[in-house]
Amino acid sequence: MTFAEAVALVDAARTPGELFRGEDAAATYRKLARLLHPDAVPAWRRATATVVFARLSSLWATHQGRGDATLTTRRHRYSLGERFATGDLANLYRVRYDGKEALLKLPRQPAANDLLEREATALATLRRDGDPQHRAYAPELVESFRHEDPTTGVRRTANVLSYSPGLVPLTEVARAYPDGLDPRDVAWIWRRLLVALGWAHRAGVVHGAVLPEHVLIEPDQHGVVLVDWCYSVTTEGGSVPALVARHRDWYPPEVTNRAPATPATDIHLATGCMRWLMGSRANNALFRFTRGCTQPNPRRRPQDAWRLLGELDELLEKLYGPRRFRRLLLPTTTA
């Protein structure tokens, strides 16, 4: 078995029973541990090995009846569960503390520590300076701390974030509607996304990465949550620190040129998401609206998400009349 095969095997296991079967369970654990131990792999694989070995150890502890692995900080004791998702920079794991569910976000590479710190700063700023009535538009930061791997000594910044079930990223919405989503359904997502951005901008935070996988929706209740604040800017004149390489063409020039990020930066990215979500179903009036929001020069774009929301509402009323609730059906929400 190769290192890559061992990683894939552990990653695919949702329960200990899927990994450790029959009388050879201990032999399976020892074999995987030899392959995945961070001290047994080249330096360039150590970060991956550290994360996967921790997952292997957690599964083995549960299999032996020792319960889930735990992580104790100055504030909480977390019971570690299965991996929830893999992001651009970090893996997210389910955790429980004080009877609540949350997500532990741990970067795969220590080099991303500064980006996790940015996320913690942004979420704390939103909680402190943002209008409380809009807090649901972003996760709550439960805690941010430095985690030291007991085997390798590698230190990573970990963020624990609130978790809300039933959220779906725009990438899944697009997969459900490959020919484009009806603009009348896009309308409520667009409106709520502008509210989220207006709330953040008033608190002095630019998200910096409003991309489809970072916009989560709750289809039945028409909720929107903006996640992954690792690329955020909280200082005037600051630039977006990094970009998601596969989405390089989505970014406005000020990001790729490392120029100052402004609310117009987020408006450009958010508009690109909505245009992409509608696809060819966007009519000429909506296309002209999106084009005005994505001009290369940030000074020629809208600067205020709240004001832009009013302009969008006027256009939508002209096109479709008074707002009416439309249920968005997705494969995960249909009977």
Side-chain angles (χ1 to χ4, degrees):
M1 184 184 297
T2 66
F3 175 81
E5 289 170 339
V7 169
L9 196 62
V10 175
D11 278 349
R14 289 299 180 182
T15 64
E18 294 179 3
L19 193 61
F20 308 116
R21 296 187 177 94
E23 298 178 356
D24 295 331
T28 299
Y29 169 72
R30 288 193 297 270
K31 180 179 181 180
L32 290 170
R34 285 194 298 269
L35 286 166
L36 295 172
H37 197 285
D39 290 344
V41 300
W44 62 277
R45 277 181 164 167
R46 198 159 292 149
T48 299
T50 299
V51 173
V52 180
F53 186 80
R55 172 73 175 138
L56 173 67
S57 299
S58 175
L59 288 167
W60 181 240
T62 303
H63 179 74
Q64 291 184 304
R66 293 188 279 120
D68 291 340
T70 60
L71 179 64
T72 302
T73 70
R74 287 180 296 177
R75 294 181 58 187
H76 297 291
R77 181 180 177 88
Y78 300 100
S79 175
L80 304 179
E82 66 185 15
R83 190 179 66 177
F84 176 77
T86 300
D88 303 312
L89 305 169
N91 293 333
L92 285 90
Y93 300 90
R94 294 182 185 272
V95 296
R96 289 189 64 83
Y97 73 101
D98 299 341
K100 303 175 184 176
E101 290 189 14
L103 295 176
L104 171 68
K105 188 172 185 177
L106 194 64
R108 289 186 292 277
Q109 300 288 349
N113 282 347
D114 62 325
L115 298 178
L116 271 289
E117 290 165 8
R118 277 182 177 259
E119 177 173 64
T121 297
L123 293 176
T125 301
L126 291 172
R127 196 77 179 176
R128 184 187 67 239
D129 300 335
D131 187 336
Q133 69 174 318
H134 297 310
R135 284 177 176 171
Y137 283 104
E140 178 184 357
L141 179 70
V142 177
E143 184 178 5
S144 184
F145 57 91
R146 278 295 177 100
H147 173 257
E148 182 173 329
D149 186 276
T151 304
T152 66
V154 172
R155 291 173 60 85
R156 291 181 172 81
T157 298
N159 291 340
V160 181
L161 309 170
S162 62
Y163 167 66
S164 299
L167 294 172
V168 179
L170 292 188
T171 48
E172 289 191 22
V173 178
R175 279 194 289 269
Y177 292 90
D179 296 327
L181 185 62
D182 191 313
R184 291 171 295 176
D185 293 311
V186 174
W188 67 260
I189 301 174
W190 200 342
R191 295 189 72 259
R192 282 157 179 74
L193 184 53
L194 287 176
V195 172
L197 293 178
W199 168 63
H201 297 161
R202 292 287 172 86
V205 181
V206 173
H207 184 276
V210 188
L211 299 166
E213 55 266 50
H214 299 159
V215 181
L216 311 183
I217 69 166
E218 202 294 311
D220 291 336
Q221 300 300 318
H222 283 193
V224 166
V225 179
L226 190 54
V227 301
D228 204 342
W229 295 77
C230 291
Y231 308 90
S232 59
V233 177
T234 55
T235 57
E236 187 173 354
S239 60
V240 174
L243 52 80
V244 180
R246 66 180 178 278
H247 287 310
R248 186 179 184 87
D249 293 342
W250 287 62
Y251 288 90
E254 66 266 24
V255 176
T256 53
N257 294 335
R258 300 303 300 274
T262 69
T265 304
D266 281 346
I267 287 172
H268 183 292
L269 288 164
T271 304
C273 287
M274 299 302 100
R275 184 169 56 195
W276 168 81
L277 196 57
M278 289 185 288
S280 60
R281 302 189 68 173
N283 57 44
N284 289 336
L286 285 170
F287 179 76
R288 287 193 298 270
F289 189 89
T290 63
R291 188 168 55 188
C293 296
T294 55
Q295 297 189 65
N297 187 339
R299 294 183 179 180
R300 300 188 64 183
R301 285 180 231 138
Q303 306 291 318
D304 188 318
W306 291 111
R307 180 175 295 180
L308 183 61
L309 173 60
E311 296 175 6
L312 176 62
D313 280 345
E314 290 179 5
L315 175 59
L316 292 172
E317 186 167 2
K318 289 179 182 177
L319 292 174
Y320 304 114
R323 290 203 304 269
R324 292 184 296 273
F325 183 88
R326 286 173 56 88
R327 186 183 178 204
L328 176 58
L329 297 177
L330 297 176
T332 54
T333 60
T334 54

